[in-house]
Amino acid sequence: MAKEYDPRMHSAEHILSGVLIRRYGCPRCFSTHINSNKSKVDFRFPHDLSAEDAASIAAEVNDIIKADLPIAAREMPREEAATRFNLTRLPESAGDTLRIVYVGDPDQPESVLDSCPCIGEHVARTSECGDFIWVSHEWKPGEEGQDGVLRIRFKLGK
Ligand SMILES: [Zn+2]
């Protein structure tokens, strides 16, 4: 695990991904640079975001942080996980049982914002992330026939 690894930042990345997926139906971020000071995440995304979109997404991320949802992990057979999640980026060596991480209570599926296979370290409750601060975003058009790339940079307050 990288020295700069920060469970708060990484957990905030789950929340941000969950909000974007719920709003836009985009795929989960494909690249992340998580740093204890500032992080950036890249999504395949068909268009740029307006300043209003950005403010509204940031507000929703902060609502989820303030809602103090649990972040829980459960084991799931790989076969079952394959029917629910995109496992193409998962190494074979991940084994037959995967660890699924939920933002929300896995026993109350309607409370779950986001779930995905993840071996990272997370905070126990979303409120531990602190304030989510949207630093900037940029969007680049994709190659022909491909969605563009949306990069979002964020920080967390203390
Ligand atoms: Zn994770």
Side-chain angles (χ1 to χ4, degrees), residues 10 14 101 118 120 122:
H10 175 69
H14 275 257
V101 171
C118 185
H122 308 83

Side-chain angles (χ1 to χ4, degrees), residues 36-80:
S36 54
N37 178 38
K38 192 158 87 171
S39 295
K40 55 185 180 189
V41 289
D42 292 341
F43 295 85
R44 286 268 166 216
F45 207 77
H47 56 79
D48 200 0
L49 294 178
S50 67
E52 291 74 30
D53 293 333
S56 165
I57 294 163
E60 193 174 341
V61 170
N62 276 311
D63 284 347
I64 288 156
I65 288 172
K66 289 197 192 84
D68 195 30
L69 297 177
I71 300 186
R74 292 281 165 84
E75 307 222 297
M76 187 183 285
R78 189 186 182 109
E79 244 171 63
E80 184 185 349

Side-chain angles (χ1 to χ4, degrees), residues 82-103:
T83 67
R84 303 192 192 193
F85 304 103
N86 178 357
L87 302 182
T88 50
R89 291 179 62 216
L90 199 77
E92 268 314 305
S93 60
D96 292 333
T97 304
L98 301 183
R99 179 175 181 248
I100 309 299
V101 171
Y102 299 83
V103 178

